[in-house]
Amino acid sequence: MTSQPTPSRRLFLAAGPASAVFGALSQAVARAPGEDDPIIQALAEVDRAHAAYEQGSDVSSDEAYERICDAEAELFSTRPTTRAGATRLLRYIADFLDQDDVINDSLVGATIGDSIRDAIAVFERQALAG
């Protein structure tokens, strides 16, 4: 009978970031039609910056956080050129606005992200229908 290696704490802790990376990769493959859009490259850079920050890369956390800020600034100044790119940008903005109560409005702050995602759903349904 072969013995199974005992799972280590390090392996357990590494599973979370690894699953996030594999999830992002599967989403990137599913969204390949808009890959010529500059938004796709900008979002990929944001994803890389977040992954480096979460994995505790070789740079300090301040430098890693600064990389995220720079990547997001570049993303928000990039114009999408395809429907797929526009949809992904809107989804990112909706998620961004939902973080840490970014929208400081007690009446609509909690619904802005959902409103953007609802609009995206219309684009996605139309794309599938036609």
Side-chain angles (χ1 to χ4, degrees):
M1 181 159 113
T2 50
S3 65
Q4 295 284 334
T6 305
S8 69
R9 181 175 180 270
R10 185 174 291 176
L11 178 63
F12 177 76
L13 292 174
S19 66
V21 169
F22 290 122
L25 288 173
S26 67
Q27 289 177 0
V29 169
R31 295 179 175 139
E35 65 188 18
D36 290 336
D37 193 313
I39 287 295
I40 305 305
Q41 287 83 26
L43 282 166
E45 182 57 35
V46 170
D47 289 344
R48 283 189 291 274
H50 277 282
Y53 180 80
E54 290 170 9
Q55 292 174 0
S57 66
D58 294 337
V59 297
S60 74
S61 62
D62 288 341
E63 290 175 76
Y65 182 75
E66 195 65 33
R67 182 175 170 202
I68 292 171
C69 293
D70 291 345
E72 286 178 337
E74 180 66 26
L75 171 67
F76 293 136
S77 65
T78 301
R79 287 193 170 173
T81 59
T82 65
R83 174 178 251 159
T87 301
R88 290 202 48 207
L89 177 60
L90 284 171
R91 186 171 305 284
Y92 187 87
I93 292 169
D95 294 340
F96 178 85
L97 293 175
D98 280 347
Q99 300 179 77
D100 303 321
D101 298 322
V102 171
I103 296 182
N104 191 14
D105 186 309
S106 61
L107 296 176
V108 300
T111 61
I112 293 293
D114 289 337
S115 296
I116 294 170
R117 280 184 284 278
D118 289 343
I120 293 167
V122 171
F123 288 136
E124 290 171 339
R125 280 193 306 270
Q126 288 176 349
L128 290 175

